[in-house]
């Protein structure tokens, strides 16, 4: 599932692959015909633009995929 609010997209598969690399006991699969599988096709849904919120507010993305993932693991407790 693409995540665009950070200003740089990544997929659910990329996130889960990072999780498998750091937590080998974690496993996943994307079910055929699922919403998640459909969302993996970048042609199915346009990315969420943060252009307007960035223009109208002080919001600026701080994290990309790697930083977000590391922050998430720190939040989990390592």
């Amino acid at each position: 599932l693409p995540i665009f609010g950070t200003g740089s997209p990544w997929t659910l598969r990329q996130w889960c692959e990072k999780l498998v690399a750091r937590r080998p006991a974690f496993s996943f699969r994307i079910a055929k015909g699922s919403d998640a599988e459909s969302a993996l096709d970048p042609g199915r849904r346009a990315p969420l633009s943060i252009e307007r919120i960035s223009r109208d507010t002080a919001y600026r993305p701080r994290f990309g995929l790697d930083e977000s993932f590391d922050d998430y693991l720190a939040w989990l407790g390592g």
Side-chain angles (χ1 to χ4, degrees):
L1 182 61
I3 301 174
F4 299 101
T6 63
S8 59
W10 64 79
T11 64
L12 176 61
R13 181 177 306 282
Q14 287 172 292
W15 183 271
C16 289
E17 287 171 351
K18 288 183 78 60
L19 195 50
V20 168
R22 294 284 287 275
R23 303 273 174 105
F26 176 79
S27 67
F28 76 99
R29 70 179 180 84
I30 307 296
K32 292 270 186 219
S34 69
D35 288 339
E37 181 191 39
S38 297
L40 292 174
D41 177 1
R44 298 279 313 245
R45 181 179 293 179
L48 173 66
S49 172
I50 62 167
E51 181 180 342
R52 187 171 177 186
I53 195 168
S54 295
R55 184 186 68 226
D56 295 347
T57 70
Y59 174 75
R60 299 295 177 270
R62 294 187 314 155
F63 299 144
L65 172 60
D66 293 333
E67 298 88 357
S68 294
F69 185 79
D70 291 342
D71 186 65
Y72 173 69
L73 286 185
W75 178 78
L76 287 178

